[in-house]
Amino acid sequence: MSERIVVDPITRIEGHLRVEVDIDENGVINDAFSSGTAVRGLELIVRDRDPREVWAYVQRICGVCTTVHALASIRSVEDALQIKIPRNAHLIRDIMNEALFVHDHVVHFYHLHALDWVDVVNSLKADPAETSRIAQSISNWPKSSVGYFTDVQNKIKKLVDSGQLGIFANGYWGHKAYKLPPEINLLAVAHYLEALDWQKEIVKIHTIFGGKNPHPNYVVGGMATPLNIDGENGVNAERLYQVSDLIDQANEFVNQVYIPDLLAIGSFYKDWTYGGGLNNYLCYGDFSTTDIYDTKNYRMPRGIILNGNLNEIHDIDLKDPEQIQEFIDRSWYTYDGKKFEGDGKHPFYGETEFNYTGPKAPYKTLDTDKEYSWIKAPRWREQPMETGPLARLMVGYAAGKQEIVDIVDDTLKRLALPLSALQSAIGRTIARGLETVLITDWMRKDMDELFKNIKLGDQGTLNQTNWDPENWPSKAQGVGWMEAPRGALGHWIDIEDGKTKNYQAVVPSTWNASPRDYQKKLGAYEAALKGTKLLNKEQPLEIMRIIHSFDPCLACAVHLTDLETKNSTEIRLG
Ligand code: NFE
Ligand code: MG
């Protein structure tokens, strides 16, 4: 006997995700279905446009990863037209992406994920003096006095007494799966509030280099950043030092608040080993110390790991039609107006043709034996893949990248855990924290190099050779790849007679949230849910923990919302 549990929408994510699971009589999940319930058609909107302006449209795929689609887009055009960018532009692009990662990961940890592990209401039972003692024992962060934590606790008490929890509403407070002592809960809630303040500062790096945030300015051939070191206008010395200070502040926050909290919380959940899943990891790699085409000199190495076998790293060719393909067997699309079993398309030949065959709203459950998602199923050589922080760390570890090996080994030693423990929801969350430490450090190094170049007299940020469509070949294809906070991101462009003929984005959350394929191989979320026991099916906290550990972004995954689709916010028990 199995019972269907539906969570729709999954909250504290970007966009609309629905999860349906079947549980057995013991509450263990024996099957799972991940469904994107909104559709975007941005790939259609850019057709026939000038390839050089596509970035500004596709950047609107998402308001969370606010820069990555612009960057992947201009990289695809530069690849097609063989445009090389100046060193300063490469550095500025990387600093902006690094700033995004740090912002995104901190916001994910505190605001989108922590409350799956932290019981806000339980923090009222804490002794603020003990919280203060713990805080000072794990970090030098100055805000750690008894008075400070007492004030935070009083704020929460007022919220709870008013019956209106505001930003903390709708949590499963008191659920048996919460394991933290009240003092650690109070510490985490205090930092939840501090991180809200902190996050609005770091994005100023984007406003300085890219004019605004969200959605800063990019340009094919470099960056639209007017470096003018001694000038009154443009990005002058004062502005550059502002970026430099923000980088130092990010470094402090990550190392003195985020990481100590992560390890303190993680140490209480070491035996919560659910949520591993596929053990297939995909990383395109990024953060090159030279340029993006030099894939051997990535700080985040490129590669694929299959079935958790760290002894073998498979290479990826994004242009090989046999490797990356999107399948639509279980998704609401057609290819060439039809559906063929097992017909995958490489993104250069990809199509975005909608074909909704699901139930009419309101419905109780999706017809999960047939098509059930607006998300396609990307596969690498027909294998489903997990992408994102855990995948990057696994590939980097397997590749023997020293700084990755060191931080992973050191952390596992501190937590007294084996490497295999990382293959879990909590492991994914730890991996995200560890890469944030590395990336914050790279951001400092990249900024130092930018300063050095400028001091040597190099203020160039743009290369406009080959900018005139008159000089372009009549046909050209290019791919822009990168690592985005949630994983491997690729944009494929097909240019004909100076216009965009076809455009496809295959996005991290498309990989992770993918439905089954024709071989019935589950997507990463689906696989990660299987085998997990729900302590209370009315409050499926375990589903939130596992799905949130991937940091889903459904806006990205399905790339305009279908105004016909109304989503309800309740959890439906089928
Ligand atoms: Ni909308 Fe995104 C990231 C991209 S999602 S957040 O990171 O690309 O998968
Ligand atoms: Mg797509």
Side-chain angles (χ1 to χ4, degrees):
M1 247 289 288
S2 79
E3 186 181 2
R4 180 67 56 106
I5 312 267
V6 179
V7 187
D8 181 15
I10 301 262
T11 53
R12 288 188 188 260
I13 65 165
E14 159 61 33
H16 299 74
L17 174 69
R18 174 183 178 104
V19 163
E20 298 195 5
V21 302
D22 292 332
I23 55 168
D24 66 17
E25 58 277 10
N26 300 314
V28 175
I29 298 174
N30 55 31
D31 213 349
F33 303 86
S34 156
S35 172
T37 59
V39 65
R40 286 167 83 85
L42 276 155
E43 286 151 326
L44 303 176
I45 291 170
V46 300
R47 245 186 227 162
D48 291 330
R49 292 191 187 275
D50 186 323
R52 293 166 301 177
E53 65 178 34
V54 166
W55 68 267
Y57 291 89
V58 296
Q59 193 178 38
R60 272 71 186 167
I61 283 175
C62 189
V64 173
C65 53
T66 58
T67 58
V68 301
H69 297 290
L71 180 53
S73 180
I74 54 177
R75 280 182 176 168
S76 72
V77 180
E78 288 160 357
D79 179 50
L81 302 172
Q82 297 179 7
I83 296 173
K84 295 273 183 287
I85 64 167
R87 180 77 194 150
N88 287 344
H90 175 75
L91 290 168
I92 294 172
R93 288 179 181 183
D94 274 6
I95 294 167
M96 289 175 72
N97 193 26
E98 285 150 3
L100 171 76
F101 264 80
V102 177
H103 176 269
D104 214 342
H105 284 2
V106 168
V107 168
H108 174 262
F109 179 69
Y110 286 104
H111 308 124
L112 305 181
H113 191 31
L115 304 186
D116 300 333
W117 309 98
V118 171
D119 185 336
V120 175
V121 174
N122 176 271
S123 68
L124 293 179
K125 295 188 184 142
D127 170 7
E130 180 59 9
T131 302
S132 166
R133 191 197 63 73
I134 295 169
Q136 293 176 13
S137 74
I138 60 175
S139 167
N140 297 322
W141 189 245
K143 287 187 178 175
S144 61
S145 67
V146 181
Y148 174 70
F149 290 113
T150 306
D151 285 350
V152 172
Q153 198 178 39
N154 287 336
K155 264 193 215 164
I156 301 162
K157 190 164 185 323
K158 268 197 202 141
L159 280 174
V160 170
D161 289 347
S162 73
Q164 307 235 331
L165 276 162
I167 51 175
F168 300 126
N170 296 331
Y172 297 137
W173 315 131
H175 192 292
K176 281 203 199 74
Y178 284 117
K179 297 283 185 214
L180 298 180
E183 286 71 24
I184 305 275
N185 283 319
L186 179 59
L187 179 74
V189 174
H191 293 161
Y192 177 112
L193 299 171
E194 275 182 60
L196 271 181
D197 273 336
W198 172 86
Q199 58 90 26
K200 69 184 188 339
E201 293 303 310
I202 186 164
V203 296
K204 289 179 180 163
I205 293 176
H206 289 178
T207 61
I208 293 170
F209 283 138
K212 63 192 177 67
N213 177 282
H215 300 141
N217 295 317
Y218 282 80
V219 64
V220 167
M223 282 306 283
T225 310
L227 292 178
N228 184 4
I229 189 81
D230 297 317
E232 294 283 316
N233 299 315
V235 178
N236 57 20
E238 190 188 338
R239 288 281 176 255
L240 289 170
Y241 280 109
Q242 197 180 347
V243 172
S244 183
D245 285 349
L246 287 164
I247 291 172
D248 290 343
Q249 286 164 27
N251 204 310
E252 268 174 35
F253 196 87
V254 167
N255 287 295
Q256 293 190 26
V257 184
Y258 177 18
I259 298 302
D261 285 0
L262 174 65
L263 297 181
I265 295 171
S267 70
F268 286 91
Y269 288 106
K270 290 200 301 194
D271 56 357
W272 209 84
T273 53
Y274 296 116
L278 293 175
N279 293 334
N280 288 344
Y281 302 111
L282 161 79
C283 180
Y284 292 159
D286 205 344
F287 303 108
S288 171
T289 50
T290 57
D291 69 72
I292 189 68
Y293 300 106
D294 183 10
T295 53
K296 296 280 168 265
N297 279 304
Y298 283 180
R299 287 159 165 158
M300 237 175 218
R302 165 175 288 197
I304 299 254
I305 286 172
L306 293 177
N307 302 316
N309 177 11
L310 299 192
N311 294 318
E312 193 177 8
I313 304 176
H314 303 265
D315 202 6
I316 312 167
D317 179 348
L318 285 86
K319 293 186 180 171
D320 176 352
E322 300 294 314
Q323 293 195 22
I324 296 168
Q325 296 177 323
E326 287 194 296
F327 293 85
I328 54 163
D329 299 81
R330 310 299 288 276
S331 317
W332 293 311
Y333 295 89
T334 54
Y335 281 158
D336 306 310
K338 301 190 218 63
K339 245 173 154 122
F340 298 99
E341 190 184 275
D343 189 13
K345 278 188 188 271
H346 180 267
F348 273 145
Y349 314 99
E351 274 185 65
T352 307
E353 212 174 311
F354 307 133
N355 181 45
Y356 184 70
T357 56
K360 245 180 135 69
Y363 50 83
K364 271 183 119 166
T365 62
L366 288 164
D367 191 354
T368 47
D369 290 334
K370 298 186 178 135
E371 295 99 352
Y372 60 91
S373 184
W374 282 113
I375 301 173
K376 294 178 183 173
R379 297 290 185 260
W380 180 78
R381 294 198 187 280
E382 307 221 346
Q383 298 300 320
M385 291 286 151
E386 168 171 350
T387 189
L390 177 59
R392 291 189 280 249
L393 227 59
M394 286 298 186
V395 172
Y397 194 91
K401 267 274 166 195
Q402 204 56 49
E403 56 186 339
I404 297 177
V405 171
D406 288 349
I407 200 168
V408 170
D409 284 348
D410 180 56
T411 307
L412 291 172
K413 201 166 148 201
R414 285 167 68 179
L415 290 170
L417 285 172
L419 184 66
S420 57
L422 288 179
Q423 294 167 323
S424 64
I426 197 88
R428 204 169 281 120
T429 301
I430 291 172
R432 187 175 291 107
L434 298 186
E435 74 170 13
T436 312
V437 174
L438 298 174
I439 291 169
T440 316
D441 181 49
W442 302 341
M443 181 159 60
R444 182 67 261 164
K445 292 190 168 116
D446 288 339
M447 190 63 203
D448 290 343
E449 193 189 333
L450 181 65
F451 270 131
K452 204 171 113 209
N453 285 351
I454 295 172
K455 281 184 185 145
L456 289 169
D458 175 9
Q459 297 195 52
T461 58
L462 185 60
N463 165 18
Q464 283 190 301
T465 47
N466 218 10
W467 235 67
D468 187 350
E470 293 283 311
N471 302 328
W472 297 356
S474 65
K475 288 183 187 206
Q477 284 186 320
V479 53
W481 64 84
M482 64 180 295
E483 287 296 323
R486 287 159 196 75
L489 171 64
H491 284 213
W492 283 257
I493 191 168
D494 197 352
I495 302 175
E496 218 174 281
D497 301 325
K499 297 224 167 103
T500 306
K501 181 156 177 271
N502 196 15
Y503 200 93
Q504 288 290 324
V506 183
V507 171
S509 295
T510 320
W511 287 96
N512 289 335
S514 104
R516 285 153 170 71
D517 53 40
Y518 77 101
Q519 302 187 83
K520 301 198 174 67
K521 289 191 172 170
L522 277 60
Y525 295 175
E526 297 178 334
L529 287 165
K530 271 182 84 162
T532 305
K533 184 177 167 64
L534 302 185
L535 290 182
N536 174 356
K537 64 182 183 183
E538 312 279 336
Q539 296 192 332
L541 179 63
E542 295 84 358
I543 294 179
M544 304 309 256
R545 284 183 174 174
I546 291 172
I547 297 294
H548 283 162
S549 75
F550 288 91
D551 192 4
C553 177
L554 274 285
C556 273
V558 282
H559 343 299
L560 269 153
T561 303
D562 177 357
L563 298 175
E564 305 282 303
T565 307
K566 302 264 190 298
N567 285 284
S568 89
T569 49
E570 85 266 31
I571 289 164
R572 301 198 195 112
L573 300 173

